[in-house]
Amino acid sequence: MKKLALHWKILIGMALGVLLGILMSSFEGGKEIVQDWVKPFGTIFINSLKLIAVPLILGSLIKGVSDLKDISKLSKMGGKTVLIYILTTLVAVSIGLILVNVVKPGNSITEKTRTELVGNYSGNTQKYKDQAASQKESGPLQALVDLVPNNIIGAAGENKNMLQVIFFAIFFGIGLILIPESKSKPVKDFFDGFNEVILKMIDLIMLAAPYGVFALLAALIVESPSTDLFKALGWYAMTVLFGLLLMIIFYIVLVYIFTGKKPKFFMNGISPAQLLAFSTSSSAATLPVTMERVHEHLGVEEEVSSFVLPIGATINMDGTSLYQAVAAVFIAQAFGMDLSFGVQLGIVATATLASIGSAAVPGAGMVMLVIVLAQAGIPEAGLALIFAIDRPLDMCRTVVNVTGDATVSMLVAKTEGKLGEPHVKNWDDDYKVS
Ligand code: ASP
């Protein structure tokens, strides 16, 4: 019997998880059973993915940078990567702003619904405001200061500090390029082998992916708020989702125009990472799989993928920036405010920066939204309006974030002459233990 491709297995796991969630929510005590007996498997799955993130970045980035052989190549590729990342983010924010101004979803929120939503969720809003306030208090160069860790074990000890680990790995790689070959060879060979082990570990974790996403979605469904709230926010959610869909189409077209790769090839290659992004709401947790898929299935050579993707997972969040633009204007509309063109331009700038600053974890985009709101003079209490529906939108925007990273890595690889044929020809040959 032909083996089912991984993305189908994951999709089946997701569907069964949703079904179980719905079933268990329908009777008393069902929620607790899922929380006690199913959710832990989802948590274990996410933890195992996060476990791989730091060693993966260290191993693959050090290898990737040292393979470049000279420093000017590195700075050229770095500049190109950041530039393309910023350009795609600007496109995303602009799409979001145009859509929200055309659809005007905030105008359909009645005074009554607004008071009800703000009342229901104002406690949560405070938590987000506090988190954002501490980010805002820091000086203008804080982001730069945060880039350089004072202790590598400390930096690697928290998945939050991914950029610091990236900094160390690139720095180490540069050192490796500059020492004599006789000294660097054993170190490079070590990281080569280290990398292979990590990639195999990802294969093993992915065998559990269908079960992991099953548990995650079942828990999500039993813990989600009532559906009435979702209805009130329907137009807003549709606007965000439509924008995200346009972004996916934009990526497919970009890939086709610049690399000649067909949409089916691109989507087939990246789909397991997209499904994981959807189930985990975290680009950081998805990173190991994104790296594997882009390298093995989309044909991007490791030199490029190991450099472009970890950076992208932390700074390139097109889905998040699009969502922040739509959410900010939606809240303003719901409060009856008219935003001038100047204020909306300000949103382009702050949403771009806020998405760069958002951590690659669930809900981070909402924390940073506070800063966008404050800058534009929109009431922060409005966060409570969109709170109920944030998680499903988070799941979808994370898919876009991950797809955006994969797209840019293909474009950079193409310009560097590092886009080849996929390493895995037969989809079913992957993810098996031999
Ligand atoms: N969850 C998103 C990510 O990890 C960030 C966000 O928008 O909240 O990419």
Side-chain angles (χ1 to χ4, degrees):
M1 196 179 77
K2 197 172 166 292
K3 249 179 69 196
L4 214 51
L6 181 70
H7 56 271
W8 288 117
K9 287 191 200 157
I10 298 182
L11 270 175
I12 293 172
M14 289 163 86
L16 291 178
V18 170
L19 277 182
L20 181 78
I22 296 173
L23 193 77
M24 297 303 266
S25 315
S26 62
F27 63 87
E28 206 164 320
K31 177 177 169 182
E32 286 70 24
I33 296 181
V34 172
Q35 283 176 324
D36 288 347
W37 296 100
V38 180
K39 191 178 176 187
F41 294 101
T43 313
I44 293 175
F45 176 63
I46 293 205
N47 283 351
S48 59
L49 280 171
K50 288 186 182 160
L51 170 72
I52 292 290
V54 168
L56 174 70
I57 292 180
L58 274 179
S60 65
L61 207 51
I62 288 174
K63 180 180 177 302
V65 170
S66 62
D67 279 348
L68 283 175
K69 298 200 179 65
D70 80 69
I71 311 279
S72 65
K73 255 193 186 163
L74 177 69
S75 56
K76 210 177 106 219
M77 190 158 86
K80 210 183 308 180
T81 302
V82 172
L83 183 74
I84 307 181
Y85 274 151
I86 293 180
L87 288 179
T88 54
T89 306
L90 286 175
V91 170
V93 183
S94 311
I95 290 182
L97 277 183
I98 293 171
L99 282 181
V100 72
N101 279 296
V102 172
V103 181
K104 297 192 176 28
N107 294 355
S108 61
I109 294 276
T110 60
E111 179 78 40
K112 187 172 152 280
T113 324
R114 191 176 77 203
T115 329
E116 201 180 304
L117 284 169
V118 172
N120 270 346
Y121 288 100
S122 49
N124 292 315
T125 317
Q126 191 54 41
K127 193 180 91 201
Y128 283 97
K129 275 199 241 165
D130 292 345
Q131 283 178 21
S134 63
Q135 300 226 20
K136 237 175 99 188
E137 263 166 26
S138 39
L141 293 185
Q142 191 57 39
L144 208 58
V145 175
D146 287 344
L147 201 61
V148 186
N150 58 12
N151 181 312
I152 183 58
I153 308 285
E158 273 210 62
N159 282 336
K160 280 211 301 274
N161 297 331
M162 212 83 99
L163 275 182
Q164 298 190 341
V165 178
I166 292 174
F167 177 86
F168 176 82
I170 294 178
F171 200 9
F172 190 98
I174 292 175
L176 207 52
I177 294 177
L178 296 176
I179 61 173
E181 172 97 33
S182 61
K183 294 271 171 14
S184 64
K185 181 144 191 326
V187 184
K188 276 192 194 165
D189 286 347
F190 168 78
F191 279 107
D192 230 359
F194 184 82
N195 225 4
E196 286 294 313
V197 176
I198 300 288
L199 288 178
K200 191 70 278 144
M201 286 169 79
I202 298 172
D203 281 352
L204 295 178
I205 296 173
M206 286 306 281
L207 289 176
Y211 309 98
V213 297
F214 165 79
L216 286 172
L217 286 194
L220 210 64
I221 296 286
V222 295
E223 288 171 354
S224 71
S226 82
T227 44
D228 293 353
L229 291 173
F230 288 92
K231 283 192 203 127
L233 298 170
W235 279 109
Y236 156 69
M238 296 298 275
T239 312
V240 175
L241 292 178
F242 186 57
L244 294 177
L245 185 70
L246 289 182
M247 279 311 286
I248 299 276
I249 296 173
F250 171 65
Y251 295 138
I252 291 177
V253 172
L254 269 187
V255 168
Y256 186 62
I257 291 177
F258 288 99
T259 72
K261 299 284 183 198
K262 299 245 165 63
K264 184 162 179 262
F265 169 85
F266 178 60
M267 293 306 277
N268 260 345
I270 197 64
S271 58
Q274 291 175 320
L275 294 175
L276 267 195
F278 184 82
S279 312
T280 61
S281 276
S282 165
S283 328
T286 313
L287 180 65
V289 179
T290 318
M291 288 180 74
E292 198 215 25
R293 301 299 299 189
V294 166
H295 172 52
E296 292 186 357
H297 294 259
L298 294 179
V300 174
E301 286 187 19
E302 226 177 353
E303 250 172 76
V304 175
S305 64
S306 66
F307 179 79
V308 176
L309 291 172
I311 297 181
T314 30
I315 70 165
N316 183 50
M317 301 208 179
D318 299 344
T320 301
S321 65
L322 184 146
Y323 143 85
Q324 284 169 337
V326 175
V329 179
F330 167 76
I331 293 172
Q333 289 169 349
F335 280 90
M337 290 170 70
D338 233 349
L339 297 180
S340 68
F341 185 67
V343 172
Q344 302 223 16
L345 267 190
I347 293 180
V348 174
T350 46
T352 303
L353 292 175
S355 71
I356 292 176
S358 300
V361 296
M366 190 152 182
V367 174
M368 296 304 274
L369 177 61
V370 178
I371 294 175
V372 181
L373 295 179
Q375 195 69 30
I378 301 167
E380 287 160 12
L383 267 192
L385 275 183
I386 56 168
F387 193 85
I389 202 157
D390 197 59
R391 182 62 190 231
L393 296 183
D394 190 2
M395 296 158 79
C396 299
R397 65 190 187 239
T398 310
V399 172
V400 170
N401 291 347
V402 166
T403 314
D405 298 341
T407 304
V408 175
S409 73
M410 287 186 80
L411 301 190
V412 174
K414 179 72 188 177
T415 60
E416 296 278 321
K418 302 276 178 209
L419 187 66
E421 288 306 309
H423 297 258
V424 179
K425 288 256 165 44
N426 180 356
W427 309 110
D428 296 338
D429 279 352
D430 205 5
Y431 308 116
K432 72 175 178 215
V433 194
S434 51

